[in-house]
Amino acid sequence: MLLRATGLTKRFGGVKALRGVDIAFEAGAVHSIIGPNGAGKSTLLNVLSGICRPDEGEIFFDGRNLGGRASHAFAAAGIGRTFQNLQVFFNMSALENVMVGRYLHERCGLASTLLRTPKMRRAENLSREEAAELMRYVGLQDYLSADADAMPYGALKRLEIARALATKPKLMLLDEPAAGLNPTEALALDDLIVSLTARSITVVLVEHNMRLVMGVSDHILVLDYGRKLAEGPAQAIRNDPKVIEAYLGSAVAHDGSFSDAIAGAVAVAVEMHR
């Protein structure tokens, strides 16, 4: 397993956002985390990226115990992420935003930077070239010279993915990348997310867009009130009575009909809870 966590518990005052969650994510796959609002999905991503430290539990990534480490140690280990709410540097260009993601891999010291040595200039040029290539990869070739504050919302979502890719991750955590996108933009995310696995990047996706989730996921984990409710392949999850009940209530879950119509109703219910 690329990432394994046991007994993850996170409290915020008297609220338990995570309650003893165990997870195991295989390398080279797309893993999705779904659940109603307040289920603990974003909190789990924050714990897995080191932004929040769990009150209990352990996290092992690529054979290393990351327990108690700071978020930059998670990034250095190979965990990249995007955010539910845009975390873009709007006072910088789009290209510079992606270059920020390469910071962990820069090797020029303070003196080289201050003196603008040839080594530093070569490193900066390489960083710009690689950032531009990543922008092309995510479909932002039309914004190579743009300022971040002049870009539309959908392009900014992709900019965050490019910046996360610049960290050279083994594991990519995507927190609601389709949120706020129009149907065309959301549909275009399918190929981009699947293509990440071709670059040997494992994807963990938190998303309310059930069409996207069911279309790209190899494995789905369902959270409800901070607990793991179910997990398995997409077909099993969309027909799981516990999952239907979590979204639509027990009456629907036990009527014996788990058809595509019910799956569509789940998608509608999730969108209504956004």
Side-chain angles (χ1 to χ4, degrees), residues 41-52 71 75 78-85 87 159-165 167 169 171-176 204 206:
K41 304 181 297 296
S42 290
T43 298
L44 180 57
L45 283 201
N46 287 339
V47 167
L48 295 180
S49 57
I51 293 176
C52 291
S71 57
I79 299 177
R81 71 162 298 174
T82 66
F83 294 86
Q84 180 178 350
N85 298 312
Q87 300 294 316
L159 185 66
E160 279 209 328
I161 294 175
R163 185 179 62 195
L165 284 171
T167 67
L171 176 70
M172 176 84 83
L173 308 177
L174 301 177
D175 196 354
E176 298 194 28
V204 175
V206 167

Side-chain angles (χ1 to χ4, degrees), residues 25-32 174 190 193-197 201-205 212-213 215-220:
F25 294 146
E26 293 183 357
V30 177
H31 305 269
S32 289
L174 301 177
D190 291 44
I193 291 172
V194 172
S195 74
L196 294 176
T197 60
I201 298 172
T202 303
V203 177
V204 175
L205 171 69
L212 175 61
V213 169
V216 304
S217 302
D218 299 299
H219 171 266
I220 298 176

Side-chain angles (χ1 to χ4, degrees), residues 9-156:
T9 297
K10 180 62 183 178
R11 304 179 185 87
F12 296 100
V15 176
K16 271 192 178 182
L18 296 175
R19 302 167 180 259
V21 175
D22 298 330
I23 58 174
F25 294 146
E26 293 183 357
V30 177
H31 305 269
S32 289
I33 302 172
I34 66 172
N37 277 0
K41 304 181 297 296
S42 290
T43 298
L44 180 57
L45 283 201
N46 287 339
V47 167
L48 295 180
S49 57
I51 293 176
C52 291
R53 293 188 180 183
D55 297 305
E56 300 171 21
E58 294 184 307
I59 301 171
F60 297 89
F61 178 73
D62 203 20
R64 299 170 56 187
N65 188 342
L66 295 181
R69 304 286 187 90
S71 57
H72 63 79
F74 282 69
I79 299 177
R81 71 162 298 174
T82 66
F83 294 86
Q84 180 178 350
N85 298 312
L86 288 173
Q87 300 294 316
V88 173
F89 300 106
F90 287 106
N91 61 334
M92 299 167 65
S93 71
L95 194 66
E96 288 168 341
N97 266 271
V98 181
M99 290 172 67
V100 168
R102 284 185 44 82
Y103 174 76
L104 286 170
H105 305 288
E106 300 293 350
R107 293 294 178 263
C108 292
L110 178 61
S112 295
T113 302
L114 290 175
L115 297 174
R116 300 284 298 176
T117 63
K119 176 184 177 182
M120 185 271 170
R121 291 197 297 272
R122 287 194 299 270
E124 185 175 33
N125 288 336
L126 177 61
S127 181
R128 287 185 179 276
E129 290 172 5
E130 293 195 5
E133 181 57 34
L134 288 173
M135 287 184 65
R136 295 186 188 98
Y137 172 72
V138 301
L140 295 179
Q141 58 275 1
D142 294 337
Y143 297 95
L144 289 172
S145 301
D147 291 329
D149 62 1
M151 296 173 66
Y153 184 80
L156 290 172

